[in-house]
Amino acid sequence: MKGTVVNVWINTMKKLYGEDTKDRILTEKGWNPQKVITPMEEIEDREIFDLIAAFAKNAGISTEEQWRKLGQNNIPAFYDWFPSYFGTSSAMNFLLLMDKVHIQLTKMIPGANPPRLIPEMIDDYTMEMTYRSKRGLHHYLLGLLEGVADHFGEKVSAKVISEDREQDGTYEVKLRIEFDKSSIKRKNYPLSQLLSFGIFKNLSFKIVLIPTVVAVLFVLLFNGMQSIPLLVGVPGIILLSGLWTGTVVTKPMLEMQQELESMKAMNFSSSLKVKTGDEIETLYQKTTDVKEALREEFTYYKGGMDDLYSFIDKFSGVANNMSNMASTIADAVQEVAEGAVHQATETESSVALLSENIQTLNEISQQELEGKDNLEAAVNQIEISFTDLEAVSENLNQVKDQFAHVNEQGTALGHKVKDIITIVSTVESIAEQTNLLALNASIEAARAGEMGRGFSVVAEEIRKLAEDSKEAVSTINHSLNQFIEEVNQMVNQVNQQFIRLDEGTKTMIHVTDESRKASTRIEEVSDIIVDISNRLSNETNRINKVFDNMNTLAAIAEENSATSEEMSANVTSFSAEIRVLTDNIDDLEKVVLFLKKELERYQI
């Protein structure tokens, strides 16, 4: 099935059921709804039959009803495609031409296989049409007949009178078609028919027959049967002279038949000039005028067809260049569209990533601001701590000084204890000497006897006192030694603590100096961080503006992508239309070439 007819059928289905239903059924049957079917494209009959069956199932009707409905609605579409075929005055003339049109299409379009629609007129208002095709679409033909009736505004009825299928699979269906309007015009001449008596076709004989009969009657009326030679001779002479005269007069008519046969054979190359001195000469002149007019018309047609063929050849080259250029443009636009889509995708991805980065940057900036406040608070606290540290350092210096005074006092106390020990040693020495003196006194009192007894008691007491003093001195000395040891230990410990305190003070002084430097550095770093934080905040605001611009750019990129895709679709559609145009030009070139060859049959 040729693409031209398939296109008409699909467009008719769209009008009947809507584009959405049409696209859905095409998709279900494995057809691409956007595919452009070229006029010369060959579609398998089976695919078409399956498609029509799917539409019938969707509409809830039988396949035969769907074919008939399709035929009813196809005539407007065929009229749009082939308006010249509908230029006839009646439905009857249109149907009489269809078989010849199909034969012509078969000759013009290689591979075309339209059905035969063989007409046979039964009377002026009745036709029998024989449908012959292997497709068996006579239900579609019945629908077409109904569409033809609607197109011409006539009443046309058709019914199947016989249906058969031959061994090779060809369907032969005979239809009886009745019209309410006939294209046949009849004009009767009863007297001329009467003179033929149903058997005489020769003009000379018809012309002379009545005069001969009148001559016979005239002789019979005035002479009766008295003179047979007169009765036979006069009519015979009239008949023979009339036949001779008729033959002479009508002889140019034989040439007229030959002239008409030549015109029937499409030969208009010569003109026949006849001199008869009567109306036949005028008739020949009119025939010559008709041939001259036809020769002029066909000369114009052939010249125009040559120009048209030459123009189509050039136009075909332009169309091919346009097709190639359209394909190149389509490819370029497709690349641009793909690039725009990729750009839009990348822009959206970049915007999303930038959005995340900006969100993170905003969080960092916020944290920087919070950190700046915390840092300022920490710096203030460090300054306070540094002040406290300086106070502690001063206190430690005072403690160190006090420890130094205690150390000096401990040393002085040790010296005083040593002085006491010296005094105690002296006391001990005095006690020993006193003891010796008491001993000597006792000895001397013993020597004195009674006189020395009292002195002896005193000496004894002094001796005891001296021993007690010695013991006390020993105890004191022992205690003083322990005290000295403890004082020495205390002094050592105080010295150690003093050394440590001195080292700690020195360390504290160093730490204080370092703390002062660190505090200064922290203040400088704090100022730098505050400056960085402010700059980061400013940059964040700028990046936010950039982000807004990126959003706008993303929207523009998406719009460009949509526009590019739409442009790509339009260019693709344009390219497809160019290809269709190229195919149509090729078809037109074939048709023009066919018509050019057909016009060559007309000899001018």
Side-chain angles (χ1 to χ4, degrees):
M1 190 74 68
K2 287 297 178 186
T4 301
V5 178
V6 176
N7 268 324
V8 171
W9 287 354
I10 292 177
N11 289 331
T12 302
M13 289 301 185
K14 181 176 71 174
K15 292 179 181 178
L16 288 175
Y17 302 115
E19 187 167 2
D20 292 339
T21 301
K22 184 262 295 183
D23 290 347
R24 176 176 57 81
I25 293 177
L26 286 175
T27 303
E28 290 175 355
K29 301 306 292 183
W31 291 53
N32 181 6
Q34 307 304 322
K35 182 177 186 271
V36 177
I37 301 176
T38 60
M40 296 301 295
E41 185 174 351
E42 190 72 33
I43 310 296
E44 290 289 337
D45 290 349
R46 177 183 53 80
E47 296 181 14
I48 299 298
F49 293 161
D50 290 344
L51 187 62
I52 299 301
F55 278 104
K57 183 178 180 180
N58 179 76
I61 59 178
S62 67
T63 304
E64 290 77 10
E65 290 174 321
Q66 181 61 77
W67 278 112
R68 191 159 186 164
K69 188 175 182 179
L70 180 62
Q72 291 171 356
N73 293 274
N74 264 177
I75 292 300
F78 282 126
Y79 175 75
D80 292 337
W81 277 72
F82 309 106
S84 60
Y85 294 152
F86 292 83
T88 184
S89 59
S90 65
M92 180 183 291
N93 279 342
F94 176 78
L95 294 177
L96 286 171
L97 289 173
M98 277 302 96
D99 191 56
K100 294 180 180 179
V101 168
H102 282 180
I103 293 173
Q104 186 182 35
L105 290 175
T106 303
K107 292 165 64 178
M108 281 194 305
I109 304 175
N113 188 25
R116 292 296 306 277
L117 302 174
I118 305 170
E120 180 182 355
M121 295 302 303
I122 305 301
D123 55 41
D124 291 353
Y125 294 93
T126 306
M127 173 195 300
E128 283 190 1
M129 177 177 284
T130 302
Y131 167 86
R132 289 181 59 81
S133 174
K134 291 186 177 181
R135 295 190 176 106
L137 298 180
H138 54 280
H139 294 285
Y140 175 63
L141 175 59
L142 291 171
L144 287 174
L145 293 174
E146 295 173 4
V148 168
D150 293 337
H151 178 80
F152 287 97
E154 301 178 17
K155 183 179 179 180
V156 179
S157 61
K159 64 178 181 179
V160 178
I161 58 177
S162 68
E163 186 175 348
D164 190 19
R165 190 172 187 182
E166 299 175 357
Q167 292 182 352
D168 62 353
T170 301
Y171 289 89
E172 183 175 288
V173 180
K174 287 190 176 182
L175 306 173
R176 181 179 292 274
I177 306 172
E178 296 181 354
F179 305 88
D180 66 342
K181 181 180 177 181
S182 176
S183 61
I184 300 174
K185 292 182 179 181
R186 295 183 182 272
K187 193 169 184 179
N188 295 325
Y189 293 90
L191 292 177
S192 180
Q193 290 178 337
L194 179 63
L195 290 175
S196 297
F197 293 101
I199 57 175
F200 300 117
K201 301 296 181 180
N202 187 278
L203 289 177
S204 298
F205 190 80
K206 288 178 67 176
I207 292 171
V208 79
L209 180 61
I210 294 299
T212 301
V213 173
V214 170
V216 171
L217 293 176
F218 186 80
V219 172
L220 287 175
L221 178 63
F222 289 98
N223 199 18
M225 299 293 293
Q226 296 177 3
S227 178
I228 296 301
L230 182 62
L231 181 62
V232 175
V234 172
I237 292 171
I238 292 174
L239 177 63
L240 293 174
S241 61
L243 288 174
W244 181 82
T245 303
T247 301
V248 171
V249 171
T250 59
K251 184 177 181 180
M253 298 298 293
L254 298 177
E255 299 291 338
M256 177 64 71
Q257 291 180 4
Q258 295 178 1
E259 189 73 2
L260 293 176
E261 288 293 333
S262 175
M263 292 175 66
K264 183 178 179 181
M266 309 302 176
N267 186 356
F268 304 97
S269 60
S270 61
S271 297
L272 181 61
K273 299 291 184 179
V274 175
K275 294 292 185 182
T276 61
D278 54 22
E279 293 179 350
I280 293 178
E281 183 178 341
T282 304
L283 183 61
Y284 266 99
Q285 184 60 45
K286 290 185 177 297
T287 303
T288 300
D289 292 342
V290 170
K291 289 182 71 174
E292 288 291 337
L294 290 175
R295 185 184 298 114
E296 290 179 6
E297 289 297 321
F298 282 114
T299 300
Y300 171 75
Y301 288 145
K302 292 181 75 173
M305 194 62 64
D306 290 338
D307 292 339
L308 181 61
Y309 183 74
S310 177
F311 174 75
I312 286 176
D313 185 59
K314 296 178 181 179
F315 193 57
S316 177
V318 173
N320 288 327
N321 293 334
M322 289 179 64
S323 179
N324 296 331
M325 187 179 299
S327 299
T328 303
I329 294 173
D331 294 338
V333 171
Q334 181 65 27
E335 291 179 1
V336 171
E338 292 176 356
V341 171
H342 179 70
Q343 180 185 7
T345 303
E346 290 297 325
T347 303
E348 290 178 357
S349 176
S350 299
V351 167
L353 183 60
L354 182 60
S355 176
E356 295 177 0
N357 292 336
I358 288 176
Q359 183 177 359
T360 304
L361 189 59
N362 285 328
E363 293 176 357
I364 293 173
S365 178
Q366 185 64 32
Q367 291 175 359
E368 283 285 341
L369 292 175
E370 294 176 357
K372 182 188 72 173
D373 296 336
N374 294 332
L375 183 61
E376 290 177 348
V379 169
N380 293 330
Q381 188 64 40
I382 288 173
E383 290 179 351
I384 295 172
S385 299
F386 175 70
T387 303
D388 293 340
L389 184 63
E390 285 183 337
V392 170
S393 179
E394 291 178 359
N395 291 332
L396 284 176
N397 285 325
Q398 292 176 1
V399 171
K400 184 191 74 170
D401 294 338
Q402 290 175 358
F403 261 98
H405 183 64
V406 170
N407 189 27
E408 291 175 357
Q409 288 180 347
T411 303
L413 181 62
H415 291 304
K416 288 180 180 180
V417 171
K418 288 180 179 180
D419 292 340
I420 292 172
I421 291 175
T422 302
I423 294 170
V424 171
S425 297
T426 303
V427 171
E428 183 180 10
S429 176
I430 292 170
E432 288 181 354
Q433 291 175 2
T434 301
N435 190 23
L436 289 174
L437 290 173
L439 180 60
N440 291 327
S442 296
I443 295 171
E444 291 296 330
R447 285 177 180 178
E450 287 294 333
M451 292 298 292
R453 187 177 291 177
F455 183 75
S456 176
V457 172
V458 173
E460 183 66 26
E461 290 295 329
I462 291 173
R463 188 184 60 80
K464 290 180 180 180
L465 180 60
E467 287 179 358
D468 291 335
S469 295
K470 186 178 180 181
E471 289 178 359
V473 169
S474 177
T475 300
I476 290 169
N477 192 28
H478 178 72
S479 297
L480 287 175
N481 287 325
Q482 289 180 348
F483 179 73
I484 289 171
E485 288 179 0
E486 291 177 358
V487 168
N488 288 329
Q489 289 178 358
M490 182 193 70
V491 170
N492 290 329
Q493 290 178 356
V494 169
N495 283 329
Q496 291 177 358
Q497 293 298 325
F498 178 76
I499 292 171
R500 292 178 182 176
L501 182 60
D502 186 53
E503 292 176 354
T505 303
K506 292 179 180 179
T507 302
M508 183 62 70
I509 293 172
H510 179 71
V511 169
T512 302
D513 293 337
E514 293 296 326
S515 295
R516 182 180 291 107
K517 294 178 181 178
S519 177
T520 303
R521 291 175 182 173
I522 288 173
E523 289 179 356
E524 293 176 354
V525 171
S526 175
D527 294 337
I528 294 173
I529 291 175
V530 169
D531 182 64
I532 291 174
S533 178
N534 292 329
R535 291 171 61 186
L536 179 62
S537 179
N538 294 331
E539 291 300 321
T540 301
N541 292 331
R542 292 181 182 178
I543 291 175
N544 282 327
K545 293 181 181 179
V546 173
F547 176 68
D548 293 337
N549 294 334
M550 284 291 290
N551 279 327
T552 304
L553 181 61
I556 294 173
E558 186 174 356
E559 183 177 355
N560 289 339
S561 174
T563 303
S564 298
E565 289 180 342
E566 183 179 358
M567 184 184 297
S568 176
N570 291 335
V571 171
T572 301
S573 177
F574 175 74
S575 178
E577 292 296 330
I578 289 292
R579 285 194 292 271
V580 173
L581 175 62
T582 304
D583 293 338
N584 289 334
I585 290 173
D586 291 339
D587 295 340
L588 179 61
E589 184 177 10
K590 294 175 182 177
V591 172
V592 170
L593 183 60
F594 171 78
L595 293 177
K596 187 173 182 294
K597 291 180 179 179
E598 287 293 311
L599 285 174
E600 290 176 357
R601 297 190 297 118
Y602 296 88
Q603 301 177 25
I604 56 177

